[in-house]
Amino acid sequence: MNRSKTSECLSIVGWGAVSPVGWGVASLFDAVQSGATVEPEVRQREGAERPVRVRPVPPPDAGQRLRHPRLRRASPQVKFAAAACIEALGDERSERVMVGEMRLGIVFATMCGAVQYSNRFYQEVLEEPATASPILFPETVFNATSSHLSAIFGSHAANYTLVGDSAEFLAALRIAEDWLRAGEVDGCLVVGSEELDWVSWEAMQLFDPHGVAGEGAGALYLELGESSENAIVLEGVTEPALWLDHGEKQLATQRARAELSDEISRKAVLALSTSGHAKTDAAEARAWADWPGPRVESGLLLGNCMGAGVALNAALACEYLVRGVASEAIVSAAGHHHQCLAAWMRTA
């Protein structure tokens, strides 16, 4: 685990979330605490063999600040990420970035990307290439979301997009730490976001015919140095444990857990990336079967949010800590097809 030996701690000083249960991390916390479920919608694409069940993000509240010019034509994924990042960064820090007083890094992690705009663009190309809108094309690239975020905050600092599996958000946290310790940025937003579309939800259905697809975004804002009273200390993130088949995934989840520090309290809240599919969840469930502390499985409530699922769990874990439900938290990420990681955080 990349736990620093220096006196400067890595602090999570803000977090935000958009999920099928509402806009804002408080909505997610309340839903998980109450165990309230959102009834899935049944949708079917024209020509598809069978319907799918999905939990979409509800329309934004009237108070959501989504009027930036960049968001007029942006995909839902961008809007989810923007709202989560605005909540995580806060007004005071947003203003400092905008006037050039602070260098804000952004690391965006995703699994599927902005698939809705990709579908619209390529459908136009197939129907009539001569009139396909060039305005749509920039939104089809993976780093469109992170580009929008930098523009919204007026940031000219480092900006990365990571495309991987559902565990990529924790890998993004490692990059953020590298930037901060190298002095390349003063603060860093790490965000994972996904949107619903038939490309992703029908692909999921190939592996989990009875699963429920979800969408949304989770974001953490990190700084280096002395942590404030309400900050969360990110003690470390494990090295990615890679896997190719389900037998290797079992070993990978065990390696990720084994790499965590022995100093972690057995009362730490455990946030699992499980989403209700026995085969997909099996390795992670076995690796943590004996954990005695409380556990959270938001995927059972939200559905399989793909690249946003672990990001939402990370924001939820921070909310658990700052509300005093626990003093330490573990975020486990057993990726869908590539890697397993885990992170340890605690109250300052």
Side-chain angles (χ1 to χ4, degrees):
M1 185 171 67
N2 63 329
R3 189 181 181 192
S4 174
K5 303 298 183 181
T6 68
S7 58
E8 288 188 303
C9 61
L10 188 65
S11 298
I12 305 169
V13 293
W15 48 92
V18 175
S19 73
V21 296
W23 296 68
V25 73
S27 298
L28 177 59
F29 176 85
D30 291 343
V32 171
Q33 283 290 90
S34 68
T37 59
V38 178
E39 189 66 23
E41 294 182 13
V42 178
R43 298 181 181 180
Q44 186 164 6
R45 176 177 58 88
E46 184 178 353
E49 294 182 359
R50 56 188 176 186
V52 294
R53 297 189 301 157
V54 300
R55 288 192 178 100
V57 169
D61 301 329
Q64 288 295 326
R65 293 171 292 174
L66 299 175
R67 295 187 179 89
H68 193 280
R70 277 274 182 158
L71 296 176
R72 282 202 297 263
R73 295 191 181 93
S75 68
Q77 182 190 60
V78 175
K79 294 176 181 178
F80 301 156
C85 286
I86 289 170
E87 182 180 15
L89 192 59
D91 292 337
E92 188 270 337
R93 287 186 289 267
S94 296
E95 180 63 25
R96 290 180 58 204
V97 175
M98 192 66 68
V99 300
E101 293 180 358
M102 188 173 76
R103 298 168 301 162
L104 176 69
I106 294 174
V107 189
F108 168 59
T110 190
M111 182 175 168
C112 301
V115 283
Q116 291 189 21
Y117 267 90
S118 296
N119 280 339
R120 287 174 57 185
F121 177 73
Y122 289 111
Q123 182 177 356
E124 289 187 9
V125 170
L126 289 173
E127 291 176 352
E128 184 50 67
T131 59
S133 173
I135 296 176
L136 295 176
F137 179 75
E139 302 299 329
T140 69
V141 298
F142 275 112
N143 67 317
T145 297
S146 60
S147 175
H148 283 305
L149 293 174
S150 285
I152 289 169
F153 293 111
S155 170
H156 300 282
N159 180 306
Y160 273 13
T161 293
L162 301 185
V163 181
D165 66 4
S166 54
E168 197 68 16
F169 181 81
L170 293 191
L173 288 178
R174 295 174 60 90
I175 289 180
E177 179 173 8
D178 289 343
W179 287 356
L180 287 163
R181 296 201 183 279
E184 295 183 20
V185 297
D186 301 313
C188 192
L189 278 169
V190 181
V191 57
S193 181
E194 297 286 3
E195 64 188 24
L196 286 172
D197 188 82
W198 69 265
V199 171
S200 54
W201 71 49
E202 289 186 14
M204 184 202 75
Q205 197 178 50
L206 295 175
F207 301 92
D208 183 7
H210 304 292
V212 180
E215 63 180 358
L220 304 184
Y221 172 70
L222 298 91
E223 290 182 352
L224 195 64
E226 294 298 325
S227 56
S228 65
E229 182 179 353
N230 292 326
I232 306 299
V233 176
L234 179 60
E235 287 285 5
V237 180
T238 64
E239 292 281 347
L242 307 182
W243 63 276
L244 293 175
D245 58 43
H246 285 280
E248 291 183 353
K249 185 176 183 180
Q250 179 68 55
L251 296 174
T253 53
Q254 292 171 349
R255 286 200 302 274
R257 177 178 176 178
E259 196 182 333
L260 288 168
S261 172
D262 293 334
E263 299 174 19
I264 301 176
S265 168
R266 302 288 283 179
K267 296 181 180 180
V269 63
L270 171 65
L272 294 169
S273 60
T274 49
S275 58
H277 182 222
K279 185 175 181 180
T280 303
D281 296 346
E284 188 176 25
R286 290 195 196 102
W288 292 98
D290 65 338
W291 186 253
R295 59 184 62 205
V296 175
E297 297 177 90
S298 67
L300 303 182
L301 170 69
L302 307 176
N304 187 340
C305 294
M306 303 182 200
V310 173
L312 287 165
N313 269 351
L316 181 62
C318 291
E319 194 71 5
Y320 266 68
L321 296 182
V322 80
R323 290 181 184 236
V325 178
S327 60
E328 297 182 49
I330 299 168
V331 179
S332 173
H336 289 339
H337 57 70
H338 177 53
Q339 61 187 336
C340 296
L341 302 94
W344 169 30
M345 54 184 70
R346 62 173 177 80
T347 53

